[in-house]
Structures are given as structure tokens and as C-alpha cells.
Amino acid sequence: MSAVIEDLIARKVFNSRGEETIEVDIVTTSGFGRASAPAGKSRGKSEVVYYPQGGVDQAVKKVEEVVSPEIVGLNANFQEEIDSTLHEVDGSKDFRVIGGNTAFAISVANAEAAANSCGSLLFQHLGGTIAHELPYPLGNTISGGQHTRGRSPDIQEFLVLPHGAESFLEAAATNIKVHRTVGDALGKKDKLFNEGKSDEGAWAANVDNSQALDILAGACEEVSSESGLECGLGIDVAASSLWDSKQRKYVYERENVKRDPAEQLDFILDLVRKYNLVYVEDAFHEEDFKSFEELTKKVKTCLICGDDLFTSNDERLSRGVKMQAANAIIIKVNQVGTLTDALETVEMARKNKYVPVMAHRSGDSCDWHIAHLAVAFKCPVIKTGIVEGARIAKINELIRIEEFLGDRAKMADLKML
Ligand code: PGA
Ligand code: ZN
């Protein structure tokens, strides 16, 4: 079915933090697609620039004046052509002219319009009929670091991965139980705990790193023994936000401790052993490939994941691959701008046995496309929170995909855990 683009419309909407963001509609001769862009708070330095100077208003203007004339008339079925046109129109290396989030919204809306034009679901359009594996949901239970204010842990995210689940629905329900159990335990520990939540729907609580991990470990054990299904613990240290480059130390304000890179490695290794962590993201700052390499060598049954380290960028990943720094990579399409760029990184990851982890951003919208991208790109894990509207939008879409696939649906392979 031909899917010639007839119209491209951009508008300003808001994300879950109330920040302005861009939404794009693409109308083809036979279908329609709409997508809006998310935004990070603890961003990697090598991410593309989200918006041109002048912010979302300027981005909307750029779409009308310079992007739309080049995109209208093209065929939405040729995703690479759309994405390379976006690069050409922009002309910079980091999308600073039209905005990386502008490119993201157009790229994803185009894929959705192409899928819609041929009557397919997005995950099938991008992943083909062989796409039938559901990712395990990696969910945030307690927030810290840059995702909170006031007294909270220094580590940014305390995560659960229900890797023993037999279906996505069961995995999502398990995460919700763990989140609830953690909330109850926090209430018992602190009479002032008021069930406040952070941007990602995780609890905002007055606890330190080890109290947060103890509570999460207790909750995982309780839910595992009730359900008979294994739940692993994970953390996103987001260490770039703890790193002080002048002192060359990681500054843990809450703990009142400073750690040099060697002490940081020992600290992380202790946590992996004590809590049997199955997932550790950004344990070191974004330029310290060497420490990632050492940690990866020392732990065998844990995903060592790079987020700010790689920023979904294939050049940075290839540097990691050469050193065997990390064994997993966060994929946030808006870190690189287009689906084609992100897919190249995913393919490089898979070829080199890195686990691609599809992920939301702390400021997100109810856009559910990453649910489809996780299945289409065969990501065995999706990190997209547990509760809160923008998170639930993705979780519920994966439940629908699983139902749509019926008997063909199968959980992804996470044998290494
Ligand atoms: P961000 O954080 O979306 O605020 O960048 C999420 C993460 O670090 O994984
Ligand atoms: Zn991260």
C-alpha cells in the first residue's frame, strides 16, 4: 500500500513533568501516525540537543518552514529515507538545528503512519512477523539522586526485574506487588512517609542507599515466596551525577562519603554480592570506560548496563565493545534522534552480545511507542517504571501486544541471569 506523506503537523504539548514537548502528526495517503517526545533529567553529555534555541516553539516553526517541505511527498514506508532526510535538513552532528526531539517525534510518527497505512501494528511493521518475544519489565521502586529533592538516597533508582515470570502480564503484576510492598515497608519505617512519588512513579522516601536496598530485598523476597517467581534487584547509580571531576571522586552527600574510582568499584562489587544484584546501570561516570570494563570482568551473572556511558550511540558503543566495557546498553531513541540511528546501535549491541534495554525517560508522555520498539528490536528488557500514567501507558500496550500474539507470545531469553 502506498503511503505518501501528505501532511506533517507539529504542536507543543506537555510531558509528565509539565515541561513543554513536541508532538507530531503524519498523514499519509492511507494512514496516520502520532508521536510525542520524552525528556531526561539526568542526561548524558553525548546526547543530541533536544531543541533549537527558542525551545519547542522554535522547533514547531522549523517543522513548518524547513522540515515539512522536504518530508511531504516522501513515502513513509522508507524509514531510512525519512531519517536521513531529517539529518540532511538539520545538517549538524547533534540535531541542534531542528532539535533531536523534533527528529524523534517525526521519525516515530512516520513509522506509526507507515504501519497504519498497511494495517499492521508498529512492532510487526518494524520487526516483521518473527517479532514475538516480550521484554521483562525492569521497574523503579524507590527514587533518589537527581530524580528527587530533599532527603533521599544518593543512588538514582532501586529497580526490580521479575525474570522468573512466564508472561508479561504476570511480570507487570509482580512489579506492582513489589512496588506496593516497598511502599508499605517505607510507611512502617517512617511515620512521616506520605506516599509521595517521583517523576517515574517510584517512591520518594527519606532513606539511605542501604535502607532502600534492604527494603527492596525484603519486598522481593516476600513477593517471590508468595508467587513462587524469581525477582532480581537492580540499581541505576547514574554515577555521572555523583562524580566531581575536580576532586576526582564520587560524592555521596546523604552518606557523607566520597569514593575514588577504585573505592567506587569495591562499593559496587559489595552491593552486587550482598544483594545478588542482577542489574547495575551507570555504576561509573560517563567517560570511565575502564572501570566499566573491570566491573564487567568481575561479575558474571549481572547485567552491567551503560546509559550515559553510551547514550544509545553506535560510536560510543563500539568503543565499549572493544574494551568489553559493560554487557548491556540502555536504548533511548531520543538520545540519538531517529529510529534508524537507534536500530543501528541495537544491531551492533546484539552482534556483540550486549543486552539492549529499551527505556523511557523520567519526563515522558502517555506515548506508548517504546512498547512496540522493545518487541520489534528484540530487547529482552524494557525499563519503563511500574506505576504513573506515562509508565502504565507502555506497560498496558505490552499487555495488549501479548494478547494480540496469543500462543505465539513468548518471554525473551535472559539466560545469563
Ligand atoms: P533520565 O533518567 O530520563 O532523567 O535521563 C533516566 C535514567 O538515567 O535511566
Ligand atoms: Zn540511567
Side-chain angles (χ1 to χ4, degrees), residues 42 147 156-157 200 235-239 279 281-282 305-308 330 332 335 359 361 383:
S42 64
H147 286 179
Q156 183 179 280
E157 295 167 29
E200 295 188 352
I235 50 175
D236 179 0
V237 185
Y279 181 88
E281 181 178 328
D282 281 355
C305 190
D307 174 12
D308 295 349
I330 283 281
K332 293 168 172 167
Q335 288 181 323
R361 302 304 307 248
K383 184 169 100 152

Side-chain angles (χ1 to χ4, degrees), residues 167-306:
S167 70
F168 183 84
L169 184 61
E170 183 180 48
T174 304
N175 276 358
I176 290 169
K177 270 190 214 143
V178 172
H179 185 274
R180 183 66 261 160
T181 309
V182 166
D184 292 344
L186 288 168
K188 278 190 202 126
K189 185 163 185 58
D190 177 6
K191 292 288 161 267
L192 294 177
F193 177 63
N194 62 6
E195 300 220 335
K197 296 197 196 97
S198 70
D199 287 348
E200 295 188 352
W203 302 114
N206 183 9
V207 288
D208 63 23
N209 295 328
S210 45
Q211 287 168 331
L213 278 164
D214 287 340
I215 285 176
L216 178 56
C220 282
E221 212 179 294
E222 192 180 321
V223 172
S224 286
S225 65
E226 259 171 37
S227 60
L229 167 171
E230 245 180 309
C231 292
L233 274 70
I235 50 175
D236 179 0
V237 185
S240 293
S241 48
L242 302 176
W243 177 245
D244 182 326
S245 57
K246 285 205 190 85
Q247 302 182 58
R248 303 203 55 75
K249 285 196 168 143
Y250 294 94
V251 180
Y252 289 75
E253 274 181 18
R254 167 97 198 215
E255 280 183 51
N256 200 16
V257 173
K258 292 178 185 173
R259 297 185 170 95
D260 66 24
E263 289 165 339
Q264 176 78 353
L265 176 62
D266 288 342
F267 171 62
I268 300 293
L269 281 169
D270 284 347
L271 293 184
V272 171
R273 287 176 193 135
K274 180 164 180 205
Y275 296 100
N276 272 322
L277 299 184
V278 295
Y279 181 88
V280 177
E281 181 178 328
D282 281 355
F284 308 98
H285 72 83
E286 59 210 298
E287 296 308 334
D288 190 1
F289 281 75
K290 187 85 195 118
S291 294
F292 274 91
E293 178 195 345
E294 285 174 36
L295 178 63
T296 311
K297 236 186 265 158
K298 291 197 160 98
V299 294
K300 288 289 162 254
T301 54
C302 181
L303 294 169
I304 303 300
C305 190

